[in-house]
Each structure stands twice: as structure tokens, then as C-alpha cells.
Amino acid sequence: METADGPGDRGNQTDKMSGRYIITGLIFLAILLHFSSVAFGAEEILIGLIPEENIFNQMQRHRPLAAYLSAKIGTTLRFTVLSRYGDVMDRFVSRKMDGAFFGVFTSVMAMEMIDAEPIARPVNLEGSSHVQSYIFVRKDSGIRDSKNMKGKRIAFVDRATATGYLFALAYLREQGISDLKAYFSDISFTGSHGSTIYTVLDGRADIGTVKSKIFQIAIAKDPSINDELAIIAKSREFPENTLFLRKDLPQKIRSQIKAALVGMDRDPEGAEVLKSLAALRFIETKKGDFQPFYDVAQKAGIILRTYKYR
Amino acid sequence: MFLINKRTLSLLSGILVIVFSMIPSVSLAAENTIGVIMPGDLPYYQELHRAFMGRLAREGILARRVIVQKPYPETMSLSNTARKLIATDVDVIVAYGAPAALSVVNEQTKIPIVYAAAYEPLMTQIKARNSTGITIKLSISSLLRYLRGLTRISTLGVVYNGNEEDSVLQFREIVKLAGQYGVRVDGVNLTRHQEAKTKLHGLKLDALLLTGSSVAHLAMPAIAELAREQKIPIGSFLLCRDSDAVVTLATNPAEQGEKAAEKVIKILEGVPADKIRVETAHQVELVFNFKEATSMGWKLPMDLVTEATRLIK
């Protein structure tokens, strides 16, 4: 005797179950596709910029690049300036961004922590794709080296920068200064390289540490700055700000962006955009280019995995 | 033989410890008097003085022991005030601003001097064996840079006082820097603040810059009126609440008041002035006056505003 669960009913049930599975599967697929398109930024690709100079100038300089890349990849690409260096990584992690032009420190953090992919970096008008960190003072400050810095006020950019903090930390440690709070009368973080320059110029701090590129831009804009400031230490060369993209962005988009950047100098329209960025061209960037950072981090006595940069 | 037992010895030691620990407070509690020279009774010096008195009060030094003199900021008045305080035989003279400090130093008194807001380039003249204090550095190039960021400047009016040594040095520095920028400078030498309207009348200026002159700041209402008429911005080296200047770059007066009081306390405790470290004022403020700029119909460039330590709205 067959019960209500007999083979006949079971066959009907199996059919019903299969139908349910198919419907559930289709819904799941639809949800997956929907979120995939959101995650891949099909409507818009959002790229972060670290606040290394005045944010208004920075946005203005990058606007032509956004328009150029949008046209090349067929998707709107937009830049946004992050309020703080530490935020760049947080935003990247929370997937609100598809990529970012990272500075040296945040580049390494992006590779170490979230396995982001380095794409390309600009070559400046002097033909260099590298930057340095400068430690500088006002010429009339009487500060010539670390010995004269005792009791003075120092301005850094942010804990999450190599050129605006970590190199200075390594330099000071090499000079036997590890307790900064005891050595300096005031320690401040200005939030941008540009602000650090003006903080020292105005006399709001005695010593500053800054990225070479921003220092040179400030002098080009106002040559009298060169008469007022003196560089007392320079770091090794680090790669210039590098574009990183999330590895879960479609390979096609990543390749399109890389190709568009690397080929800009051979395209008349791209060459115009490069002018606004004060760059000759973009070059491909690899993980190995960041090795000088690890040497500085070691001298600064920081362990990347545990370093509190926020 | 006279023998002291252990108990007596510990009692005596205890008394000695108490007596020695009381020495500074005995010295401070005595009826010492402090003479203060506050030229022109400017808001900047008023703020400095409030911080000075606040710090003294926390040490239990009463206001009635502080003689405050507010002479007009010109050489004769400052010298007379210095002489008056010397004749009163105050225990320490506190001078606000380099001209006031110089007026006391020039009297060659042995009374200790504590100066505040003294322009550092004048230190070679102010420095004396019986003096200590707080100096200020001013970045003239920065103020000029911020002012140029507000408007295109071909002719800059610079208000100074030929009788105030710090103001004269600043004026010379501005002339030198302005030359590098291709800016012509019209110097307005104010020896009395009442002269402002007459001396500024008819000048065609693109901006006005006020040196650290006390007289120039006494003339601020008249200068501000003219600036509004001509729709030109004012840059200033003296900070005051609700300033008429659109941009001000100045050292914080309160910090200096506190530090000056600390030095006075040390002197009253018996430390010689030349053993007390001369300090440079650290807190520099960059103030943009949004209110003034808006009323004149200007838009302050955001790249300048982001550098501000304070905005007047």
C-alpha cells in the first residue's frame, strides 16, 4: 500500500521542489547580478584622491582626467577628495570606492591589507615618477639640524603619509630623537601637504615635513617662498601617487583604465589632460616599486599590521 | 656638653623644612607692586592683560598691587610713564609691545623688566641684564600673500608710525617684499590716530596693510571707514575680536599674558630676570573676517579660508 507519500505524490513534490529551486535560483541570480553591477560601479566609477594639497585646486586639476577616462571607458568616472588620509583606506574597504590615487603609505596599506592592484602613476614635467619627503624650516628660524629643533613646534601632514610623517619619524629616530612629545614643544597634524607649507610660512610651526612635489608646486606659484624656506633633510625617492583599483572590478574595466592612462601621452586629447596634471605621461606601476617605503618604515620603528594611522 | 636627642633633631628639621618651603610664598605675599605699561589701551593689549591678571590671580596676587598705565603710544608719553613707574619704585615693570619695552630699557633702571609682544628683530635693543619676556615673530610675506590672494594689488597702502620702532621695521620689510611682487607701496606715517582721515584722503589704493603700530590700530575705525568707501581689503598684524580687517595674522595675546605673568612670579620669588628664559610666542592666529568680506561683496577664496585658524562670521 502506498501512502500519501507514495512515488506518485513524491514525483509531483519533486517537480514542485525543482520549480521552487529554479525560481529561488533565478531570484538569487537576479540579486547577485544587481549587486554585482552596483559593486562594479557600472553606473559610475568613484576614485578617491588623498588630500595632499588644497582640495579645491586638487579637484580642479583632476576634473579633465575624469572626463577623459569616462570617455575612454564608456562609464562615468568621478573623483572625490577624502577628508583625511586615514579615511581613504576606510572608504576603500567599505567598497564605496572603486579605486584611489594613493600616496606611498596608503599604497602599501592597500597592497598589504586589501590586496588592491597598482595600475599606473604620473611622470612629472622634469621626467621623474618619484617623490621625496622634505623636512623644512623658515630660513630665519635659526634651525639647521635636529639639534636646533629642541623645544620647537613641528607640523606633520598626517600619520598615514610617508612623505608627510614617516620619513621625518625615521630621520628623527636616526638622530636619537624617539620621544617626540618630550623633544618638541608642539606637534600638529595639518591634514594636507599644502597646509603644512603655509603653517611654517606663517610662523604657526617652526618645522614642517612635506612631499617634494607639493613644495615645488608652491614655489612655482610663488617664487618668494623659495627665499623664505630652507630644506634641511631629504628622503630617498618613493613612487609618485599611484592609482590603485579594486581587484573585484571587472578585468575589462581595469585594463581599459590602465591602457587609457598609459597611452595618454600618445593621444592629443590625453596630452592636453596631462598638462592640467603637470605630467608628461603615466607609467605602469608594480608592487616592487614600493620597496623604499619598507626601509623607511623599519627605521621609523613601525609595524604595518599594528600601526595605528587613524 | 650640649646634646640634642633624636626627637629634638627631627623636630628642628621639620621646622626648617616648613620655614624654607614658605620662603617663596612669603616673598609673594609681601606687598610687592607690579607696574604695567599698556600703550593706547588697545583691544590686543587688553586681552593680553586679562590673561596676565588671570594668571596672577591664580597665584594669589591681588589686582590692587598692579599699577596699570595706559599712555598714548608716542615716545614722550611712554618715557614719562616709564619714569613714573620707576619713581614709584615698583618691584617689576611689565611692558606690552616693543616701544613700551624700549622706553623702560632706555631709562637704564635696575628694576626688573618683563616685556610681552616685543617684535623679535628689535631684541638687540631691548635685551638688558634686568629684562626677560616674550618676543613675537611676524611673517610679513604671509600676510602680504593672503592679502594678494583676496584682490589684485598694484598699489598697497601701508599704515605705520615713524615713532614706533617695530612698525618702522615692518614697513621697511613690506616695501622690500612688495617690490618683488611688483606692488607699489604708499606709506602712511601716522604719529597721531586723529590724522588718519587727512593722510589717507585722496589715495588710490587696492588694499591697506596695518603694521603692528598701536597708533594705526587706534585709527582703525577711520581706516575701516575709508576701506569700505573704496571697497578695499585691510590686512592687519594685530589681533582683536571682531576686527575690521579682512585678514589678520597675529600672535595670540592670551598666551603671552600667561607667560609674562609666569616670569613676573619668578622675579617676585627672587629669580634674577636674566636667569629667566626669553621665549617666543608660539600661538599664531590667521583670522579671516567673513562678515566684513560679505558686507563688501567679496568672496573669500576657499583655498585661503581653509588655512584660517579662526573665521569671523
Side-chain angles (χ1 to χ4, degrees):
Chain A
M1 189 181 145
E2 289 181 348
T3 62
D5 316 352
D9 285 321
R10 201 173 288 145
N12 285 339
Q13 213 170 9
T14 308
D15 288 341
K16 279 179 192 169
M17 292 264 297
S18 301
R20 274 187 210 145
Y21 282 140
I22 290 164
I23 291 163
T24 311
L26 284 170
I27 291 169
F28 179 73
L29 193 66
I31 292 169
L32 188 72
L33 284 170
H34 169 73
F35 278 103
S36 299
S37 66
V38 171
F40 295 158
E43 290 176 1
E44 180 182 87
I45 290 176
L46 188 63
I47 304 290
L49 294 172
I50 48 175
E52 62 176 14
E53 55 173 316
N54 181 283
I55 58 168
F56 301 98
N57 296 343
Q58 209 172 350
M59 281 302 286
Q60 205 172 355
R61 287 202 306 126
H62 284 82
R63 216 161 275 142
L65 180 63
Y68 179 79
L69 290 177
S70 299
K72 287 286 172 188
I73 62 175
T75 304
T76 305
L77 184 144
R78 194 164 63 85
F79 287 109
T80 180
V81 179
L82 278 306
S83 56
R84 282 190 60 237
Y85 278 77
D87 289 350
V88 180
M89 194 58 64
D90 291 343
R91 294 251 185 141
F92 205 102
V93 171
S94 64
R95 297 196 174 213
K96 285 181 182 165
M97 278 184 213
D98 303 296
F101 269 100
F102 284 132
V104 185
F105 175 82
T106 37
S107 288
V108 173
M109 295 299 275
M111 291 188 296
E112 295 272 331
M113 291 170 66
I114 52 172
D115 197 27
E117 182 188 8
I119 302 293
R121 68 181 193 272
V123 175
N124 69 23
L125 298 177
E126 284 74 43
S128 170
S129 62
H130 293 93
V131 291
Q132 284 173 285
S133 171
Y134 290 166
I135 297 176
F136 68 100
V137 294
R138 276 192 67 91
K139 281 183 181 168
D140 58 10
S141 67
I143 301 169
R144 298 286 170 266
D145 53 37
S146 61
K147 285 176 204 139
N148 311 131
M149 291 181 187
K150 193 170 169 57
K152 303 289 183 189
R153 300 159 297 163
I154 190 162
F156 298 113
V157 176
D158 192 291
R159 282 188 179 84
T161 71
T163 51
Y165 182 59
L166 288 180
F167 165 67
L169 210 60
Y171 167 84
L172 292 167
R173 272 173 70 101
E174 277 187 326
Q175 309 293 315
I177 303 158
S178 48
D179 186 352
L180 302 193
K181 279 185 184 168
Y183 199 75
F184 295 100
S185 64
D186 185 59
I187 299 167
S188 58
F189 291 90
T190 65
S192 81
H193 293 273
S195 273
T196 302
I197 294 171
Y198 290 105
T199 297
V200 175
L201 275 171
D202 293 357
R204 288 179 273 148
D206 302 299
I207 306 138
T209 176
V210 74
K211 182 190 269 193
S212 55
K213 184 181 85 176
I214 306 300
F215 193 84
Q216 284 145 10
I217 288 174
I219 288 174
K221 201 172 154 192
D222 184 351
S224 72
I225 291 175
N226 204 24
D227 300 331
E228 295 175 58
L229 301 179
I231 298 162
I232 58 172
K234 288 181 182 180
S235 72
R236 284 175 62 183
E237 288 185 331
F238 302 112
E240 172 61 286
N241 282 2
T242 301
L243 175 68
F244 278 73
L245 293 174
R246 284 184 2 218
K247 276 195 173 168
D248 57 356
L249 262 187
Q251 178 61 48
K252 189 185 163 197
I253 291 180
R254 282 186 284 151
S255 301
Q256 278 179 322
I257 293 174
K258 185 186 269 189
L261 285 172
V262 174
M264 272 175 88
D265 57 317
R266 294 185 297 275
D267 173 9
E269 201 184 326
E272 279 304 308
V273 176
L274 285 168
K275 279 182 195 168
S276 70
L277 295 166
L280 290 176
R281 61 185 174 278
F282 274 86
I283 56 166
E284 193 180 351
T285 302
K286 304 275 185 201
K287 275 189 170 185
D289 295 339
F290 294 91
Q291 185 51 42
F293 170 83
Y294 291 95
D295 302 335
V296 166
Q298 194 184 14
K299 283 179 187 167
I302 69 154
I303 300 159
L304 278 176
R305 291 271 165 198
T306 56
Y307 178 58
K308 288 179 182 165
Y309 58 88
R310 286 182 187 88
Chain B
M1 194 172 161
F2 183 70
L3 289 172
I4 301 173
N5 65 24
K6 271 188 177 177
R7 200 174 159 192
T8 316
L9 193 66
S10 64
L11 189 68
L12 277 172
S13 313
I15 291 167
L16 279 173
V17 167
I18 292 166
V19 166
F20 280 117
S21 68
M22 282 174 69
I23 287 174
S25 56
V26 165
S27 166
L28 282 178
E31 283 301 302
N32 295 313
T33 48
I34 302 159
V36 175
I37 307 178
M38 190 198 294
D41 197 15
L42 297 178
Y44 183 84
Y45 292 144
Q46 285 169 8
E47 199 173 332
L48 194 158
H49 188 64
R50 263 195 300 278
F52 175 77
M53 293 303 289
R55 182 75 180 84
L56 289 186
R58 290 204 296 277
E59 289 297 320
I61 297 173
L62 302 173
R64 66 182 166 81
R65 288 164 49 202
V66 181
I67 304 166
V68 183
Q69 297 288 301
K70 299 171 181 176
Y72 193 80
E74 52 93 21
T75 317
M76 191 56 75
S77 298
L78 289 171
S79 293
N80 286 342
T81 307
R83 284 176 198 150
K84 191 173 161 186
L85 290 175
I86 292 164
T88 312
D89 200 23
V90 294
D91 295 282
V92 55
I93 297 175
V94 181
Y96 299 155
L102 279 168
S103 71
V104 187
V105 170
N106 290 342
E107 295 302 322
Q108 298 185 329
T109 176
K110 285 183 180 169
I111 295 173
I113 306 161
V114 174
Y115 44 83
Y119 190 45
E120 199 175 53
L122 285 169
M123 276 312 291
T124 47
Q125 294 174 52
I126 296 170
K127 207 174 176 183
R129 287 183 73 179
N130 59 332
S131 75
T132 184
I134 304 100
T135 64
I136 56 170
K137 284 181 178 178
L138 298 172
S139 177
I140 291 167
S141 55
S142 284
L143 184 57
L144 204 52
R145 190 175 295 116
Y146 290 121
L147 207 50
R148 287 177 67 234
L150 294 173
T151 186
R152 197 177 161 275
I153 304 174
S154 299
T155 308
L156 175 71
V158 179
V159 186
Y160 73 104
N161 175 4
N163 294 328
E164 292 179 74
E165 295 83 349
D166 46 357
S167 171
V168 173
L169 281 185
Q170 289 156 20
F171 173 65
R172 286 183 191 148
E173 182 76 5
I174 293 163
V175 171
K176 204 171 108 187
L177 281 167
Q180 290 178 15
Y181 293 121
V183 173
R184 196 172 75 88
V185 171
D186 267 357
V188 181
N189 182 3
L190 286 189
T191 49
R192 310 282 306 176
H193 67 283
Q194 295 90 341
E195 302 167 347
K197 271 196 172 174
T198 323
K199 291 206 170 177
L200 286 162
H201 181 73
L203 293 179
K204 294 273 176 241
L205 306 168
D206 301 306
L208 268 164
L209 199 152
L210 270 65
T211 58
S213 155
S214 299
V215 171
H217 284 81
L218 283 174
M220 184 58 115
I223 295 169
E225 197 184 315
L226 177 119
R228 285 186 194 114
E229 275 171 22
Q230 294 197 9
K231 288 204 176 295
I232 57 172
I234 300 175
S236 166
F237 278 120
L238 272 190
L239 194 68
C240 47
R241 302 282 141 196
D242 303 323
S243 167
D244 290 313
V246 175
V247 53
T248 304
L249 184 66
T251 46
N252 184 312
E255 180 206 12
Q256 296 178 69
E258 287 262 341
K259 284 181 188 283
E262 283 165 17
K263 292 181 194 310
V264 166
I265 291 161
K266 280 186 185 165
I267 287 170
L268 295 180
E269 285 174 352
V271 181
D274 64 343
K275 299 279 182 246
I276 302 169
R277 194 164 61 94
V278 173
E279 290 177 82
T280 305
H282 274 170
Q283 292 173 19
V284 178
E285 287 200 49
L286 174 62
V287 183
F288 282 100
N289 191 334
F290 242 47
K291 199 169 118 187
E292 188 69 18
T294 311
S295 71
M296 304 279 268
W298 298 319
K299 266 194 169 180
L300 290 178
M302 288 310 288
D303 59 338
L304 295 187
V305 172
T306 50
E307 295 304 321
T309 57
R310 186 158 68 89
L311 288 172
I312 298 173
K313 289 180 182 171

